[in-house]
Amino acid sequence: VYRAMARPSARAGAIFTDKERKTKMADYREIYANKLTTAEEAAGRVQDGWLIGMDAAVAAPPALVSAIAARAARGEISGVKIDTLLDVYPFEFYADDSLNGRFNGSSWFSSAGARKAVNGGWGDFMPAYYRDIPGDIQRLYDHDVYITEVSPMDKHGYFSMGTVGSLSEASIDKAKRIFVVVNDKQPRAVCAQQIHVSQVDAIIEDSHDLAVLPPTKIDEISATIGGYIAEQIPDGACIQLGIGAIPDATGIALKSKHDLGIHTEMFTDSMVELIACGAVNNSKKQIHRGKTVTTFAFGSKRIYDYIDDNPAIEILPVNYVNDPAVICKNDNMISINAAVEVDLWGQVCAESIGTKHLSGTGGQVDFVRGACQSRGGKSFIAFTSTAKGGTISKIQPILTPGALCTTSKNDVDYIVTEYGIAQLRGLSLSKRVKNLISIAHPDFRDELTFEAKKRGMI
Ligand code: COA
């Protein structure tokens, strides 16, 4: 089990200059002052062809990225690449195709910006299970600089990584340089990755509000689906909720439960709500008892306030949090994730609309597998039965040509729509087909039955 404590980085490297040693190690403010610079000056150190590393969501430092983009726009640098994961700021290298060739992004998991650039051809994409990315960084990615926002330095000279801990341990260990942007709006996460002032090469200060996730609209259908799943979740279960309206609706439907635990990839608003109302106390977990475990948090200011100085939440590296062998250690592990479509075999697409890129695999497969291996565990993939105003069934005879299979037919467990829950895992093809058709929208059931018969599936 990961140490339930603050995690100072083990990175050797930049450490103290001779002058700094003489000034007494404890005078961290002097070291800080010596490394303090501006975003423009730090961006000025970036050279042609550099590869830049960042962690997910609000770990990204928008002021520094903009300063690098401004240099690219002026034609001062070219061939610079940057790796992103869940881009939540309007990054210029995704928004502006005129930077193509000078400053390009490559995405492990896309929001609107990366989506536009990847589909447009000036952004690249890196397929991966989220839990494998730290290992990939160690093996394959020579980041010339790792850039991250941090909370203000503590009296011991440490900066906390704030709300995100997924890639920072591997990245800090591997990158040639570290530039940190101190933002006093970043919460100080105490049970999370820390970096010492001696280990960083440049410090920039930028006070700004963190990006927030607009609250999801929980409509009647999402609430119905959330209600079905909530019925399947016993008191004392440990939950993971993915991205999207239905995982959020499920979270809200769990408010009447007791002694729930959280072991999740993304810590969300509905989870803060569950903690606040007492439904979650983490008391029945087999590992990290008493603590919420996540690899990053993203949502409203309420989440960031909750994390600040709070020893009840651990923000740990994704290679640990998303490892199915770790996830399954908690009994009654329940994972809830969304999808775009599913075929009659049970193959789940959650990352493209046909050939059009939408997001990434993220932790969906990791949590499906971890939940299914847990004693009493279950995994739910949930979505409304139709898309585009009821014109398209999300249960299809075959996946749309070009659609990416996120969760395989062998991993899938339960599929949920507003018409009920279909059990698939371990069942024969014909039983899967019947179960899936029974939860398809009634308007599409005859067509699905016809197609299934045509293929000899039933
Ligand atoms: N055919 C055509 N369009 C479809 C569709 C389908 N079968 N299913 C969804 N869409 C469209 C929607 O209409 C919507 O388009 P719009 O933005 O123009 O309105 C868009 O795709 C997103 O669909 P929606 O259902 O609103 O998405 P969501 O916010 O609930 O997120 C995923 C769903 C699948 C994108 C999201 O869960 C995800 O990124 N998953 C990645 C894998 C994962 O689960 N990782 C673990 C997370 S911790």
Side-chain angles (χ1 to χ4, degrees):
V1 173
Y2 225 87
R3 276 174 297 162
M5 55 193 285
R7 293 197 39 76
S9 164
R11 179 181 194 255
I15 311 303
F16 302 97
T17 63
D18 286 348
K19 181 166 173 274
E20 283 164 351
R21 281 173 198 277
K22 283 184 203 130
T23 61
K24 282 280 160 244
M25 301 251 286
D27 195 357
Y28 301 125
R29 273 167 307 183
E30 191 174 335
I31 300 170
Y32 183 106
N34 289 339
K35 293 183 178 183
L36 186 62
T37 184
T38 61
E40 288 68 31
E41 191 282 327
R45 301 186 204 179
V46 173
Q47 293 176 22
D48 289 350
W50 269 25
L51 178 63
I52 301 173
M54 285 198 303
D55 207 335
V58 295
L64 183 53
V65 170
S66 292
I68 299 168
R71 288 195 66 211
R74 292 194 296 269
E76 292 171 17
I77 44 174
S78 67
V80 175
K81 298 212 162 70
I82 187 162
D83 296 332
T84 70
L85 205 160
L86 192 63
D87 47 301
V88 297
Y89 293 107
F91 295 134
E92 295 83 348
F93 52 84
Y94 283 144
D96 182 0
D97 65 345
S98 72
L99 296 183
N100 192 8
R102 298 187 219 171
F103 191 22
N104 290 87
S106 188
S107 166
W108 272 299
F109 191 100
S110 306
S111 292
R115 207 169 283 156
K116 179 178 163 200
V118 172
N119 287 314
W122 68 91
D124 205 350
F125 182 73
M126 299 169 284
Y129 295 119
Y130 195 178
R131 90 181 115 91
D132 286 340
I133 300 174
D136 291 344
I137 288 171
Q138 290 283 346
R139 285 185 306 120
L140 302 169
Y141 290 76
D142 287 318
H143 289 132
D144 292 286
V145 62
Y146 176 69
I147 62 174
T148 184
E149 280 209 351
V150 292
S151 62
M153 187 174 78
D154 70 15
K155 63 184 178 186
H156 303 291
Y158 283 98
F159 303 98
S160 143
M161 296 290 165
T163 65
V164 184
S166 67
L167 310 182
S168 50
E169 186 174 64
S171 300
I172 289 168
D173 192 40
K174 181 82 186 294
K176 293 179 191 139
R177 303 166 189 81
I178 314 286
F179 294 173
V180 297
V181 176
V182 178
N183 178 2
D184 59 4
K185 305 276 175 62
Q186 282 282 358
R188 182 169 168 272
V190 286
C191 297
Q193 184 77 28
Q194 317 283 320
I195 188 166
H196 196 262
V197 65
S198 61
Q199 297 173 300
V200 308
D201 298 274
I203 301 170
I204 297 136
E205 291 176 348
D206 179 33
S207 174
H208 69 94
D209 288 335
L210 301 180
V212 293
L213 189 63
T216 41
K217 283 191 210 98
I218 299 181
D219 57 15
E220 213 181 310
I221 292 181
S222 304
T224 302
I225 295 172
Y228 289 149
I229 301 173
E231 282 169 19
Q232 301 289 315
I233 300 180
D235 287 339
C238 185
I239 56 165
Q240 174 261 339
L241 303 174
I243 296 176
I246 290 169
D248 271 353
T250 308
I252 300 303
L254 292 174
K255 282 172 79 171
S256 58
K257 302 280 174 182
H258 300 95
D259 299 329
L260 295 177
I262 295 174
H263 183 107
T264 193
E265 168 185 311
M266 175 167 129
F267 184 67
T268 59
D269 274 295
S270 59
M271 295 179 181
V272 182
E273 185 63 35
L274 289 173
I275 293 168
C277 76
V280 165
N281 59 19
N282 292 303
S283 65
K284 297 280 192 280
K285 288 172 85 173
Q286 276 61 44
I287 56 169
H288 300 272
R289 186 162 294 187
K291 306 259 190 172
T292 289
V293 171
T294 189
T295 199
F296 77 97
F298 181 46
S300 70
K301 186 171 179 300
R302 187 180 183 200
I303 290 188
Y304 309 140
D305 290 343
Y306 176 79
I307 290 170
D308 192 41
D309 263 328
N310 190 344
I313 178 161
E314 297 185 69
I315 305 179
L316 302 178
V318 70
N319 43 312
Y320 174 77
V321 175
N322 280 24
D323 181 348
V326 172
I327 295 166
C328 73
K329 285 190 175 144
N330 285 310
D331 293 346
N332 299 308
M333 180 73 215
I334 309 286
S335 87
I336 299 124
N337 290 291
V340 172
E341 60 177 333
V342 59
D343 73 7
L344 291 175
W345 284 91
Q347 302 189 93
V348 177
C349 165
E351 51 195 293
S352 72
I353 297 175
T355 54
K356 215 170 123 204
H357 169 70
L358 189 59
S359 64
T361 304
Q364 180 170 119
V365 179
D366 304 331
F367 276 91
V368 167
R369 289 182 178 159
C372 289
Q373 287 164 25
S374 143
R375 190 165 31 188
K378 287 179 183 167
S379 137
F380 297 93
I381 304 282
F383 45 78
T384 54
S385 64
T386 59
K388 300 285 168 206
T391 57
I392 299 174
S393 172
K394 291 197 180 188
I395 297 175
Q396 288 284 342
I398 56 169
L399 292 181
T400 304
L404 299 170
C405 176
T406 306
T407 295
S408 84
K409 65 189 188 318
N410 305 343
D411 287 313
V412 71
D413 196 15
Y414 294 89
I415 302 285
V416 193
T417 71
E418 69 274 28
Y419 294 101
I421 300 183
Q423 186 180 6
L424 303 190
R425 193 177 174 84
L427 298 188
S428 69
L429 179 58
S430 60
K431 283 184 182 149
R432 285 171 181 235
V433 170
K434 284 178 191 154
N435 289 352
L436 279 169
I437 292 174
S438 75
I439 61 158
H441 191 285
D443 289 355
F444 296 95
R445 287 184 196 167
D446 287 349
E447 191 186 323
L448 286 165
T449 305
F450 174 80
E451 291 293 334
K453 283 186 176 160
K454 198 170 82 182
R455 291 176 172 77
M457 297 170 113
I458 48 174

